[in-house]
Amino acid sequence: MSKRGYAASKKLLTGLIGAPIAHSASPAMHERAAEALGLRGHYQLIEVAGADAAGLRMMLEGVRRLGFAGVNVTYPYKEAVVPLLDALAPGAAAMGAVNTVVVRDGLLTGHNTDTTGFARAVAPLLAPAGNAVAVIGAGGVGKAIAFALASLGVTDIRIFDNEPARAEKLAGLLVPRGGARVAASIEEALQGATGLVNGTPVGMLPNRDTPVPAVLLRPDLWVADAVYSPLITPLLAAAREKAARIMTGRELAIYQAADAFELFTGLAPSTEVMGEVFDAVMAARSAAYQTA
């Protein structure tokens, strides 16, 4: 739909497919961003666990037919939806992962704003003199993170995944973008690294584990986590205790949402507004968690 169309209708229907997603701050961010632009937005959580290809196809067909401008896609479906879409943006096609599906003229097109969002978020941490970054996880989020790092000129990307074949596949996809190498262990990935990114759901509530043993963290390492519930994950808490610089999942959550909103509507939302809403959601959640 064109900008004029949204301005005329004043209605915007978007949503999120994934599981578990009850914790998501996306509804509040997208709906408040729409309101600030004079739109009446509704962001629907579509939580279905264990969906197979047929189930995902049914959900996407509903998105196509029910007036959605588009939907976001999160764990565990970022890769599974790829073959079910009508078209892919070049970046999403290159990595084989989608977190944003736009509906236009009855067609579903996949994009990846995790990549653009993470690139915006991590850029201040990167050193001009060179970076060696360990990426933990080669699934949908890990792919987006690795592609974002490559887009920023990081050529020493070390990928570790509990499933080595996934890490090998991601490294192969990055060959045209400067390359990456597979690490046989987390210890190997971190040897001489300047940065570490968790691209797995480990540490997301109610899980309280960490993907990296605290003993491997160092003061000269920056540590980022894609998880934002909680903001200070066990990994980030351990990194902070080691005096390492940390980056929470806040900026990634805000920037990927802003980029997705613009794809849905053609309108650039206020990241300041989205950030304020995100902070309010997280503050309320923290207070509820402490009193539970």
Side-chain angles (χ1 to χ4, degrees):
M1 186 180 291
S2 67
K3 296 182 184 181
R4 181 176 297 177
Y6 278 113
S9 69
K10 300 288 186 180
K11 295 179 182 178
L12 175 65
L13 176 60
T14 53
L16 174 65
I17 295 174
I21 54 175
H23 68 280
S24 177
S26 291
M29 286 195 291
H30 279 262
E31 290 175 6
R32 181 64 186 90
E35 181 184 355
L37 289 168
L39 307 175
R40 182 155 53 91
H42 176 69
Y43 191 96
Q44 179 68 42
L45 293 181
I46 306 169
E47 180 166 344
V48 180
D52 58 11
L56 281 175
R57 187 176 287 108
M58 288 179 61
M59 283 185 271
L60 291 169
E61 193 59 28
V63 168
R64 187 198 308 271
R65 294 176 178 271
L66 295 175
F68 280 80
V71 290
N72 290 122
V73 180
T74 191
Y75 180 84
Y77 303 127
K78 292 184 180 186
E79 296 168 291
V81 300
V82 169
L84 306 177
L85 303 175
D86 300 307
L88 296 171
M95 75 181 74
V98 161
N99 83 316
T100 301
V101 178
V102 176
V103 184
R104 290 288 184 276
D105 301 321
L107 298 178
L108 305 179
T109 301
H111 301 258
N112 200 302
T113 66
D114 283 334
T115 299
T116 56
F118 187 77
R120 293 170 69 180
V122 79
L125 291 176
L126 299 181
N131 303 272
V133 183
V135 177
I136 309 302
V141 175
K143 283 182 174 181
I145 287 167
F147 270 73
L149 292 168
S151 76
L152 293 170
V154 178
T155 57
D156 190 356
I157 302 171
R158 297 93 172 275
I159 304 166
F160 174 78
D161 193 281
N162 287 328
E163 297 180 31
R166 291 209 305 181
E168 292 283 358
K169 181 178 179 180
L170 176 53
L173 294 174
L174 287 166
V175 168
R177 288 166 168 76
R181 63 184 175 92
V182 175
S185 65
I186 294 176
E187 290 86 346
E188 181 182 319
L190 283 172
Q191 188 172 2
T194 55
L196 163 68
V197 189
N198 174 37
T200 78
V202 175
M204 182 172 71
L205 288 173
N207 182 284
R208 298 301 292 157
D209 296 330
T210 176
V212 179
V215 69
L216 298 179
L217 303 176
R218 314 183 305 267
D220 62 340
L221 190 71
W222 59 260
V223 181
D225 204 323
V227 171
Y228 69 76
S229 181
L231 271 181
I232 302 299
T233 61
L235 171 63
L236 294 183
R240 193 163 57 181
E241 289 181 4
K242 293 291 183 75
R245 288 183 297 161
I246 66 170
M247 185 182 86
T248 71
R250 178 185 186 274
E251 279 68 32
L252 170 58
I254 294 166
Y255 290 144
Q256 66 80 20
D259 290 349
F261 186 98
E262 187 165 0
L263 286 171
F264 294 148
T265 66
L267 303 173
S270 166
T271 54
E272 289 77 13
V273 166
M274 284 185 149
E276 290 170 1
V277 174
F278 178 88
D279 292 341
V281 169
M282 297 309 297
R285 184 172 300 150
S286 177
Y289 183 75
Q290 291 175 4
T291 57

mmCIF file of all heavy atoms in Angstrom, residues 60 64 81-94 97-98 100-104 106-112:
data_model
loop_
_atom_site.group_PDB
_atom_site.id
_atom_site.type_symbol
_atom_site.label_atom_id
_atom_site.label_comp_id
_atom_site.label_asym_id
_atom_site.label_seq_id
_atom_site.Cartn_x
_atom_site.Cartn_y
_atom_site.Cartn_z
ATOM 1 N N LEU A 60 0.647 -17.987 6.786
ATOM 2 C CA LEU A 60 1.027 -16.993 5.791
ATOM 3 C C LEU A 60 -0.107 -16.707 4.819
ATOM 4 O O LEU A 60 -0.279 -15.571 4.356
ATOM 5 C CB LEU A 60 2.268 -17.465 5.039
ATOM 6 C CG LEU A 60 3.561 -17.492 5.866
ATOM 7 C CD1 LEU A 60 4.661 -18.222 5.102
ATOM 8 C CD2 LEU A 60 4.018 -16.082 6.228
ATOM 9 N N ARG A 64 -1.799 -13.127 4.030
ATOM 10 C CA ARG A 64 -2.017 -12.643 2.664
ATOM 11 C C ARG A 64 -3.463 -12.152 2.462
ATOM 12 O O ARG A 64 -3.708 -11.145 1.811
ATOM 13 C CB ARG A 64 -1.716 -13.758 1.674
ATOM 14 C CG ARG A 64 -1.732 -13.341 0.205
ATOM 15 C CD ARG A 64 -1.873 -14.544 -0.728
ATOM 16 N NE ARG A 64 -0.910 -15.600 -0.484
ATOM 17 C CZ ARG A 64 0.310 -15.672 -1.050
ATOM 18 N NH1 ARG A 64 0.693 -14.729 -1.881
ATOM 19 N NH2 ARG A 64 1.110 -16.686 -0.770
ATOM 20 N N VAL A 81 10.309 -20.245 6.904
ATOM 21 C CA VAL A 81 9.352 -19.535 6.042
ATOM 22 C C VAL A 81 9.911 -19.239 4.652
ATOM 23 O O VAL A 81 9.151 -18.959 3.722
ATOM 24 C CB VAL A 81 8.881 -18.197 6.668
ATOM 25 C CG1 VAL A 81 8.197 -18.433 8.003
ATOM 26 C CG2 VAL A 81 10.024 -17.201 6.813
ATOM 27 N N VAL A 82 11.226 -19.299 4.502
ATOM 28 C CA VAL A 82 11.856 -18.857 3.253
ATOM 29 C C VAL A 82 11.254 -19.519 2.007
ATOM 30 O O VAL A 82 10.871 -18.819 1.061
ATOM 31 C CB VAL A 82 13.383 -19.060 3.316
ATOM 32 C CG1 VAL A 82 14.019 -18.850 1.939
ATOM 33 C CG2 VAL A 82 13.998 -18.087 4.321
ATOM 34 N N PRO A 83 11.133 -20.850 1.954
ATOM 35 C CA PRO A 83 10.600 -21.458 0.729
ATOM 36 C C PRO A 83 9.101 -21.259 0.541
ATOM 37 O O PRO A 83 8.563 -21.643 -0.507
ATOM 38 C CB PRO A 83 10.929 -22.945 0.908
ATOM 39 C CG PRO A 83 11.001 -23.140 2.375
ATOM 40 C CD PRO A 83 11.563 -21.871 2.933
ATOM 41 N N LEU A 84 8.420 -20.668 1.511
ATOM 42 C CA LEU A 84 6.974 -20.504 1.442
ATOM 43 C C LEU A 84 6.559 -19.131 0.926
ATOM 44 O O LEU A 84 5.359 -18.861 0.767
ATOM 45 C CB LEU A 84 6.357 -20.723 2.830
ATOM 46 C CG LEU A 84 6.723 -22.044 3.523
ATOM 47 C CD1 LEU A 84 6.101 -22.103 4.907
ATOM 48 C CD2 LEU A 84 6.283 -23.233 2.683
ATOM 49 N N LEU A 85 7.533 -18.263 0.645
ATOM 50 C CA LEU A 85 7.235 -16.894 0.225
ATOM 51 C C LEU A 85 7.275 -16.771 -1.292
ATOM 52 O O LEU A 85 7.857 -17.599 -1.993
ATOM 53 C CB LEU A 85 8.235 -15.936 0.878
ATOM 54 C CG LEU A 85 8.277 -15.986 2.410
ATOM 55 C CD1 LEU A 85 9.380 -15.082 2.940
ATOM 56 C CD2 LEU A 85 6.929 -15.599 3.007
ATOM 57 N N ASP A 86 6.657 -15.701 -1.805
ATOM 58 C CA ASP A 86 6.623 -15.475 -3.250
ATOM 59 C C ASP A 86 7.926 -14.889 -3.771
ATOM 60 O O ASP A 86 8.302 -15.123 -4.929
ATOM 61 C CB ASP A 86 5.466 -14.530 -3.603
ATOM 62 C CG ASP A 86 4.117 -15.097 -3.183
ATOM 63 O OD1 ASP A 86 3.816 -16.237 -3.568
ATOM 64 O OD2 ASP A 86 3.377 -14.407 -2.451
ATOM 65 N N ALA A 87 8.610 -14.116 -2.928
ATOM 66 C CA ALA A 87 9.846 -13.462 -3.358
ATOM 67 C C ALA A 87 10.682 -13.132 -2.143
ATOM 68 O O ALA A 87 10.186 -13.085 -1.009
ATOM 69 C CB ALA A 87 9.542 -12.181 -4.146
ATOM 70 N N LEU A 88 11.983 -12.907 -2.380
ATOM 71 C CA LEU A 88 12.907 -12.542 -1.310
ATOM 72 C C LEU A 88 13.707 -11.324 -1.730
ATOM 73 O O LEU A 88 14.142 -11.228 -2.893
ATOM 74 C CB LEU A 88 13.877 -13.692 -1.014
ATOM 75 C CG LEU A 88 13.290 -14.993 -0.464
ATOM 76 C CD1 LEU A 88 14.366 -16.076 -0.439
ATOM 77 C CD2 LEU A 88 12.716 -14.782 0.930
ATOM 78 N N ALA A 89 13.922 -10.397 -0.795
ATOM 79 C CA ALA A 89 14.851 -9.305 -1.032
ATOM 80 C C ALA A 89 16.249 -9.902 -1.139
ATOM 81 O O ALA A 89 16.518 -10.978 -0.581
ATOM 82 C CB ALA A 89 14.785 -8.296 0.103
ATOM 83 N N PRO A 90 17.168 -9.231 -1.855
ATOM 84 C CA PRO A 90 18.500 -9.823 -2.074
ATOM 85 C C PRO A 90 19.208 -10.270 -0.803
ATOM 86 O O PRO A 90 19.789 -11.357 -0.762
ATOM 87 C CB PRO A 90 19.250 -8.698 -2.795
ATOM 88 C CG PRO A 90 18.187 -7.938 -3.513
ATOM 89 C CD PRO A 90 16.989 -7.968 -2.593
ATOM 90 N N GLY A 91 19.179 -9.439 0.243
ATOM 91 C CA GLY A 91 19.868 -9.809 1.473
ATOM 92 C C GLY A 91 19.283 -11.046 2.122
ATOM 93 O O GLY A 91 20.010 -11.931 2.589
ATOM 94 N N ALA A 92 17.956 -11.129 2.164
ATOM 95 C CA ALA A 92 17.303 -12.300 2.751
ATOM 96 C C ALA A 92 17.584 -13.549 1.930
ATOM 97 O O ALA A 92 17.789 -14.635 2.478
ATOM 98 C CB ALA A 92 15.798 -12.053 2.851
ATOM 99 N N ALA A 93 17.616 -13.396 0.609
ATOM 100 C CA ALA A 93 17.910 -14.536 -0.254
ATOM 101 C C ALA A 93 19.330 -15.035 -0.046
ATOM 102 O O ALA A 93 19.588 -16.248 -0.027
ATOM 103 C CB ALA A 93 17.700 -14.137 -1.722
ATOM 104 N N ALA A 94 20.265 -14.113 0.132
ATOM 105 C CA ALA A 94 21.670 -14.494 0.292
ATOM 106 C C ALA A 94 21.903 -15.306 1.556
ATOM 107 O O ALA A 94 22.692 -16.247 1.568
ATOM 108 C CB ALA A 94 22.548 -13.242 0.305
ATOM 109 N N ALA A 97 17.348 -16.435 5.436
ATOM 110 C CA ALA A 97 16.625 -16.189 6.684
ATOM 111 C C ALA A 97 15.810 -14.908 6.540
ATOM 112 O O ALA A 97 16.275 -13.932 5.945
ATOM 113 C CB ALA A 97 17.585 -16.077 7.863
ATOM 114 N N VAL A 98 14.614 -14.931 7.096
ATOM 115 C CA VAL A 98 13.671 -13.812 6.968
ATOM 116 C C VAL A 98 13.112 -13.467 8.336
ATOM 117 O O VAL A 98 12.756 -14.364 9.106
ATOM 118 C CB VAL A 98 12.513 -14.205 6.015
ATOM 119 C CG1 VAL A 98 11.305 -13.300 6.190
ATOM 120 C CG2 VAL A 98 12.985 -14.205 4.571
ATOM 121 N N THR A 100 11.047 -10.421 8.335
ATOM 122 C CA THR A 100 9.999 -9.485 7.960
ATOM 123 C C THR A 100 9.390 -9.919 6.630
ATOM 124 O O THR A 100 10.119 -10.134 5.664
ATOM 125 C CB THR A 100 10.570 -8.053 7.824
ATOM 126 O OG1 THR A 100 11.142 -7.653 9.075
ATOM 127 C CG2 THR A 100 9.486 -7.056 7.440
ATOM 128 N N VAL A 101 8.072 -10.057 6.625
ATOM 129 C CA VAL A 101 7.353 -10.414 5.401
ATOM 130 C C VAL A 101 6.407 -9.280 5.057
ATOM 131 O O VAL A 101 5.542 -8.912 5.864
ATOM 132 C CB VAL A 101 6.559 -11.725 5.581
ATOM 133 C CG1 VAL A 101 5.768 -12.046 4.311
ATOM 134 C CG2 VAL A 101 7.492 -12.875 5.933
ATOM 135 N N VAL A 102 6.579 -8.711 3.887
ATOM 136 C CA VAL A 102 5.754 -7.601 3.430
ATOM 137 C C VAL A 102 4.708 -8.116 2.450
ATOM 138 O O VAL A 102 5.017 -8.919 1.568
ATOM 139 C CB VAL A 102 6.628 -6.517 2.750
ATOM 140 C CG1 VAL A 102 5.766 -5.400 2.171
ATOM 141 C CG2 VAL A 102 7.624 -5.939 3.759
ATOM 142 N N VAL A 103 3.473 -7.653 2.617
ATOM 143 C CA VAL A 103 2.387 -8.013 1.707
ATOM 144 C C VAL A 103 2.135 -6.846 0.757
ATOM 145 O O VAL A 103 1.830 -5.730 1.187
ATOM 146 C CB VAL A 103 1.090 -8.333 2.477
ATOM 147 C CG1 VAL A 103 -0.005 -8.795 1.511
ATOM 148 C CG2 VAL A 103 1.337 -9.385 3.553
ATOM 149 N N ARG A 104 2.274 -7.090 -0.537
ATOM 150 C CA ARG A 104 1.998 -6.077 -1.561
ATOM 151 C C ARG A 104 1.310 -6.758 -2.735
ATOM 152 O O ARG A 104 1.844 -7.718 -3.299
ATOM 153 C CB ARG A 104 3.285 -5.418 -2.068
ATOM 154 C CG ARG A 104 3.982 -4.513 -1.094
ATOM 155 C CD ARG A 104 3.232 -3.195 -0.864
ATOM 156 N NE ARG A 104 4.001 -2.326 0.012
ATOM 157 C CZ ARG A 104 3.996 -2.377 1.337
ATOM 158 N NH1 ARG A 104 3.256 -3.297 1.945
ATOM 159 N NH2 ARG A 104 4.735 -1.551 2.052
ATOM 160 N N GLY A 106 -1.002 -8.781 -2.973
ATOM 161 C CA GLY A 106 -1.242 -10.201 -2.793
ATOM 162 C C GLY A 106 -0.005 -11.072 -2.763
ATOM 163 O O GLY A 106 -0.113 -12.294 -2.658
ATOM 164 N N LEU A 107 1.170 -10.464 -2.869
ATOM 165 C CA LEU A 107 2.422 -11.221 -2.862
ATOM 166 C C LEU A 107 3.151 -11.037 -1.533
ATOM 167 O O LEU A 107 3.148 -9.945 -0.949
ATOM 168 C CB LEU A 107 3.320 -10.768 -4.015
ATOM 169 C CG LEU A 107 2.771 -10.980 -5.426
ATOM 170 C CD1 LEU A 107 3.757 -10.442 -6.459
ATOM 171 C CD2 LEU A 107 2.473 -12.458 -5.687
ATOM 172 N N LEU A 108 3.806 -12.096 -1.071
ATOM 173 C CA LEU A 108 4.567 -12.073 0.176
ATOM 174 C C LEU A 108 6.058 -12.030 -0.149
ATOM 175 O O LEU A 108 6.582 -12.949 -0.786
ATOM 176 C CB LEU A 108 4.268 -13.329 1.008
ATOM 177 C CG LEU A 108 2.802 -13.620 1.337
ATOM 178 C CD1 LEU A 108 2.698 -14.903 2.148
ATOM 179 C CD2 LEU A 108 2.174 -12.460 2.092
ATOM 180 N N THR A 109 6.717 -10.960 0.308
ATOM 181 C CA THR A 109 8.146 -10.797 0.050
ATOM 182 C C THR A 109 8.908 -10.772 1.368
ATOM 183 O O THR A 109 8.569 -10.025 2.283
ATOM 184 C CB THR A 109 8.428 -9.496 -0.729
ATOM 185 O OG1 THR A 109 7.710 -9.535 -1.967
ATOM 186 C CG2 THR A 109 9.913 -9.355 -1.023
ATOM 187 N N GLY A 110 9.946 -11.594 1.458
ATOM 188 C CA GLY A 110 10.732 -11.703 2.673
ATOM 189 C C GLY A 110 11.917 -10.756 2.696
ATOM 190 O O GLY A 110 12.610 -10.592 1.687
ATOM 191 N N HIS A 111 12.158 -10.148 3.848
ATOM 192 C CA HIS A 111 13.286 -9.245 4.089
ATOM 193 C C HIS A 111 13.956 -9.656 5.389
ATOM 194 O O HIS A 111 13.414 -10.452 6.155
ATOM 195 C CB HIS A 111 12.815 -7.785 4.212
ATOM 196 C CG HIS A 111 12.090 -7.261 3.014
ATOM 197 N ND1 HIS A 111 12.680 -6.437 2.077
ATOM 198 C CD2 HIS A 111 10.794 -7.432 2.604
ATOM 199 C CE1 HIS A 111 11.800 -6.123 1.146
ATOM 200 N NE2 HIS A 111 10.654 -6.711 1.436
ATOM 201 N N ASN A 112 15.104 -9.079 5.673
ATOM 202 C CA ASN A 112 15.758 -9.324 6.952
ATOM 203 C C ASN A 112 16.231 -8.009 7.561
ATOM 204 O O ASN A 112 17.271 -7.472 7.195
ATOM 205 C CB ASN A 112 16.937 -10.287 6.818
ATOM 206 C CG ASN A 112 17.282 -10.901 8.161
ATOM 207 O OD1 ASN A 112 17.581 -10.180 9.107
ATOM 208 N ND2 ASN A 112 17.199 -12.220 8.270
#
